[in-house]
Structures are given as C-alpha cells and as structure tokens.
Amino acid sequence: MAQDLFGRCPYETAQRILQGKWTVLILYHISEGPLRFNELLRKLPDMTHATLSKQLKQMEKNGLVLRKEYMQIPPKVEYSMTELGRAFIPVLDCIEKWGNQYIAYLQEQQRV
C-alpha cells in the first residue's frame, strides 16, 4: 500500500497544493496586488469562469488566497494572497528566473 506523504514530505505537500493547472499563474497575478474576479479572468483569457472559481476556492481552502467580500451594491469581491501565499513570492521569482533561462535555451535550439 502506498504511503500518503501529504503533510510529511515537503515535495509531495507542495505538489498537491500547487497541482491545479492555473495555480502558479493565479498566484503570480495576485502577488502584484488584490484583484477582483473579472480582472483576474481577463489576465487569464484561456481560463473559463468555472475553472477560475474552482481554483480560487481550492486555493482559499489551502490557505494561499484570501477572499474579501465588500458589502456594497453592486457586490465587490477581491482576491489577495494570505501571509502563507506571500511566502511563495520568492518561489515565483525563482520560477521566473528559470523560465527565462529555459526560454533562452529554446531560442538557442531554434538557431542551431
């Protein structure tokens, strides 16, 4: 029987928390400041309304995203990073650095 390492192994735990296809991109966009749902959806044009809603709910459940509801008319909801989510910003910076290195690698391969 396979052993569940969630909550005990840092790699498996991180992989499960970040497993959504859009999780890293959502975190990147809200790392720049709070965003309303439709603002976030416009930044991710290939994502459906339902998928974004599902991802945000999961990220909120995992403690990465804070959903703040303003009691006004029309209703306003903003999404931002929690303290735990903000701790992921250095990881996003490393992903950006590595991603740029990989883009340079791909461009070099096309020239060869």
Side-chain angles (χ1 to χ4, degrees):
M1 175 180 239
Q3 188 176 14
D4 186 5
L5 298 176
F6 182 77
R8 295 186 297 157
C9 171
Y11 299 103
E12 183 155 338
T13 302
Q15 181 179 7
R16 284 231 209 134
I17 296 302
L18 301 171
Q19 72 182 334
K21 175 180 176 181
W22 300 96
T23 301
V24 173
L25 285 172
I26 293 169
L27 287 172
Y28 162 70
H29 286 297
I30 63 174
S31 74
E32 297 178 328
L35 290 172
R36 295 178 73 173
F37 186 91
N38 285 329
E39 291 174 316
L40 193 49
L41 196 58
R42 280 191 295 275
K43 290 178 180 285
L44 301 161
D46 294 334
M47 183 186 287
T48 66
H49 186 280
T51 299
L52 179 57
S53 179
K54 181 180 175 183
Q55 288 269 225
L56 286 168
K57 285 177 186 173
Q58 186 62 47
M59 293 168 71
E60 185 179 12
K61 179 181 171 190
N62 289 338
L64 301 174
V65 170
L66 178 66
R67 181 182 189 272
K68 185 173 182 181
E69 208 171 320
Y70 296 88
M71 294 301 167
Q72 66 183 47
I73 296 176
K76 177 182 174 183
V77 176
E78 284 184 340
Y79 294 90
S80 61
M81 287 183 142
T82 63
E83 186 176 333
L84 181 61
R86 285 189 300 276
F88 191 72
I89 291 174
V91 179
L92 287 171
D93 293 340
C94 289
I95 290 171
E96 177 185 23
K97 182 179 177 183
W98 184 85
N100 282 326
Q101 289 173 343
Y102 196 79
I103 289 167
Y105 164 79
L106 291 173
Q107 291 170 344
E108 183 61 34
Q109 293 302 305
Q110 288 176 351
R111 283 184 277 230
V112 174

